[in-house]
Amino acid sequence: MTSRRKWLANSLATVVGTALLAPADLLALAEAEINLANQLGTKEDNEAYWELVKSQFVLEKGLRYFNNGSLGTCPEYVFQATEHFRRTLDGFPSRYMWGAWDDQKEAVREKAAEMFGVSTETIALIHNTTEGMNLIASSLKLAPGEEILLSNHEHSSARIPWKYWQEEKGVVLKTVDLPLLPESKEEIVARFQEAITPKTRVISLVHVTNTNGMRLPVKEISEMAHEHGILVAVDGAQSMGMFQINLTELGCDFFTSSSHKWLFSPKGMGIFYATEAAQKLLKPLIVCRGYDDPSIRRFENYNTRNLPELLGLGAALDFRNLIGQEKIERRIYTLKTYLREQLADVDWFIFKTPASNDLSAGIQTVELVGREADEANQDLTDSYQIDCRHMMSHSLNGLRISLAIFNTKADVDYLVAALKTVQAG
């Protein structure tokens, strides 16, 4: 218990001491953790604690939300913090839009950089993954005949920017077909390795697919690509916040993500990473005064922007830090294992997501044998207030189930019971 209290004290000193706000909600969550520890022992990950975490979110009553892969929800703390910033801005608009919040904006950058284990000079605060992909694709000076490799599981917002900005110049977009259920990381790396030619200049790949939740081995692909002098750009829309990411260790040149999914920030915020060397290859999508700033801040120079949402991202990072990155990752994998165990021995459910923790995490896609996924999804919505998403591409015909920290084992039990009833019906 002494070590647990020490951990909590250090957590609060780190989080609240540097927080943009230090409201009662954050402190209450921390105090409740002490109370839970007293009541339930020193076991860190118990359901009572995660019920407490769930209570911090403002989902509609009765809704079981398993669609975080499409869009996340804000915890009450982030919602209230963002409203506070919005009222402050409207109280004195010109002061806070231009200058008064400069230190706070840099505090958000510092929190994001700390999460990724990188320098603040490699982090830009943008709007979403799509903007980051457009920034990369519009900037690179590629010649006709040179090649970009993309997997067949790339989101349209990661593929279309390359098509729009590069294909008309004669740059070739090559698709790398991935196995739906790979048995190892090496199997995926080999597919990219086999597709490389002397003309390959970029590998653009998704970190976690939005289709079946497959986790790609970015570190190994980056190492292999750099041996050939190839740049690596990563779509991290479904990975940032789901599990721990150290971008220095991943070794990619670019990483772009939306924070309104697994980080639970206000909508319309994202984080963009580029190594200091790779930044020299980029040009801003939007230019105004300050376009010639040599730092990475030139990529977020929109003049007027929604600063309350940007600072709300900082509040979301504070909330995440209080719970703890390691604990969040462990919880995601606990829920994944629990779901798979509940359906493991039922012949009429087939997982279309790799089982290995190296190859998947909080997104699991399940086929209901003999049922059309879109119809089954509608039944879950209409009869059980369960929101997930049906996936029909790649011959999946499955329900994509996104497991987040506001989901409890009781929620998973409810989902499994509903799936069995829907399938039987």
Side-chain angles (χ1 to χ4, degrees):
M1 182 58 65
T2 300
S3 62
R4 186 172 178 77
R5 287 178 181 276
K6 182 178 180 181
W7 170 85
L8 181 59
N10 290 339
S11 175
L12 284 173
T14 300
V15 177
V16 179
T18 60
L20 298 169
L21 290 177
D25 282 350
L26 266 183
L27 294 172
L29 183 60
E31 291 168 359
E33 180 162 359
I34 290 179
N35 293 334
L36 284 171
N38 289 332
Q39 295 170 27
L40 304 171
T42 59
K43 187 177 180 182
E44 195 168 90
D45 293 336
N46 53 65
E47 282 306 296
Y49 177 74
W50 292 108
E51 289 283 358
L52 172 69
V53 171
K54 179 179 180 178
S55 73
Q56 305 298 306
F57 289 82
V58 293
L59 290 166
E60 183 177 308
K61 185 177 181 180
L63 175 65
R64 264 69 169 201
Y65 194 68
F66 293 98
N67 197 14
N68 202 75
S70 292
L71 192 63
T73 178
C74 288
E76 181 68 21
Y77 166 57
V78 175
F79 178 83
Q80 294 295 341
T82 306
E83 284 300 300
H84 166 83
F85 295 127
R86 186 168 289 114
R87 287 180 179 276
T88 301
L89 175 62
D90 284 330
F92 198 153
S94 61
R95 170 188 289 175
Y96 289 97
M97 182 59 67
W98 296 296
W101 274 339
D102 286 352
D103 289 345
Q104 284 83 351
K105 287 190 289 184
E106 289 306 306
V108 178
R109 192 187 318 278
E110 290 169 9
K111 293 172 191 294
E114 181 181 5
M115 176 183 67
F116 282 138
V118 296
S119 162
T120 55
E121 298 308 308
T122 62
I123 296 292
L125 305 172
I126 59 172
H127 292 104
N128 53 33
T129 309
T130 305
E131 180 182 342
M133 292 306 305
N134 273 274
L135 173 57
I136 303 164
S138 66
S139 297
L140 297 187
K141 296 180 179 179
L142 302 179
E146 293 185 326
E147 299 170 347
I148 301 166
L149 303 186
L150 303 103
S151 85
N152 62 324
H153 280 263
E154 300 305 312
H155 192 279
S156 59
S157 290
R159 177 176 291 274
I160 290 174
W162 292 112
K163 182 177 179 65
Y164 180 82
W165 294 106
Q166 296 290 345
E167 200 171 49
E168 68 176 15
K169 300 191 309 185
V171 174
V172 178
L173 273 57
K174 290 179 60 176
T175 299
V176 177
D177 289 331
L178 300 179
L180 192 65
L181 295 170
E183 296 183 359
S184 68
K185 294 190 289 186
E186 290 74 21
E187 188 177 353
I188 298 174
V189 175
R191 295 292 181 99
F192 283 96
Q193 177 82 62
E194 293 163 2
I196 291 174
T197 75
K199 293 184 178 181
T200 305
R201 297 292 177 265
V202 181
I203 294 177
S204 183
L205 73 158
V206 62
H207 198 179
V208 173
T209 67
N210 80 306
T211 50
N212 71 334
M214 178 166 42
R215 179 176 176 175
L216 273 58
V218 171
K219 178 180 178 181
E220 291 80 359
I221 292 171
S222 295
E223 290 173 351
M224 179 268 296
H226 290 159
E227 290 176 0
H228 296 273
I230 297 169
L231 293 167
V232 178
V234 177
D235 166 4
Q238 300 292 1
S239 62
M240 183 175 72
M242 181 190 286
F243 48 75
Q244 296 184 88
I245 298 172
N246 185 302
L247 289 174
T248 301
E249 293 179 1
L250 281 191
C252 55
D253 301 282
F254 309 104
F255 184 98
T256 180
S257 187
S258 302
S259 59
H260 52 246
K261 294 180 184 283
W262 303 94
L263 281 185
F264 312 120
S265 81
K267 312 307 177 275
M269 279 305 306
I271 298 173
F272 179 81
Y273 162 83
T275 65
E276 294 193 47
Q279 289 174 40
K280 298 175 183 178
L281 304 174
L282 302 178
K283 301 176 72 173
L285 275 172
I286 297 173
V287 292
C288 56
R289 184 176 60 186
Y291 76 95
D292 52 354
D293 183 342
S295 80
I296 197 167
R297 293 159 189 79
R298 69 186 182 277
F299 304 128
E300 58 186 47
N301 186 18
Y302 313 112
N303 198 5
T304 303
R305 69 177 302 184
N306 195 333
L307 290 180
E309 290 189 353
L310 187 155
L311 300 185
L313 167 58
L317 290 166
D318 285 339
F319 183 82
R320 174 181 175 81
N321 287 340
L322 182 60
I323 297 172
Q325 295 192 63
E326 292 183 8
K327 187 186 292 186
I328 289 171
E329 176 175 319
R330 192 159 56 246
R331 177 61 175 180
I332 294 295
Y333 280 103
T334 295
L335 289 174
K336 167 195 165 178
T337 300
Y338 188 71
L339 172 67
R340 294 185 72 102
E341 288 174 349
Q342 300 295 89
L343 297 175
D345 298 324
V346 186
D347 292 339
W348 16 280
F349 293 113
I350 299 176
F351 277 94
K352 297 296 188 73
T353 302
S356 167
N357 284 350
D358 285 338
L359 296 173
S360 73
I363 293 176
Q364 301 288 304
T365 298
V366 181
E367 179 182 2
L368 279 62
V369 178
R371 289 293 308 272
E372 291 296 318
D374 55 346
E375 295 178 1
N377 188 46
Q378 193 63 52
D379 286 346
L380 290 173
T381 299
D382 294 343
S383 300
Y384 299 96
Q385 283 188 273
I386 291 172
D387 187 12
C388 54
R389 180 177 173 183
H390 63 277
M391 301 302 298
M392 307 301 290
S393 66
H394 302 81
S395 301
L396 287 170
N397 187 35
L399 297 175
R400 189 189 71 184
I401 300 166
S402 301
L403 300 165
I405 60 172
F406 51 74
N407 297 130
T408 63
K409 287 185 178 180
D411 291 330
V412 175
D413 290 340
Y414 182 86
L415 169 66
V416 169
L419 286 172
K420 290 179 178 178
T421 302
V422 166
Q423 177 67 345

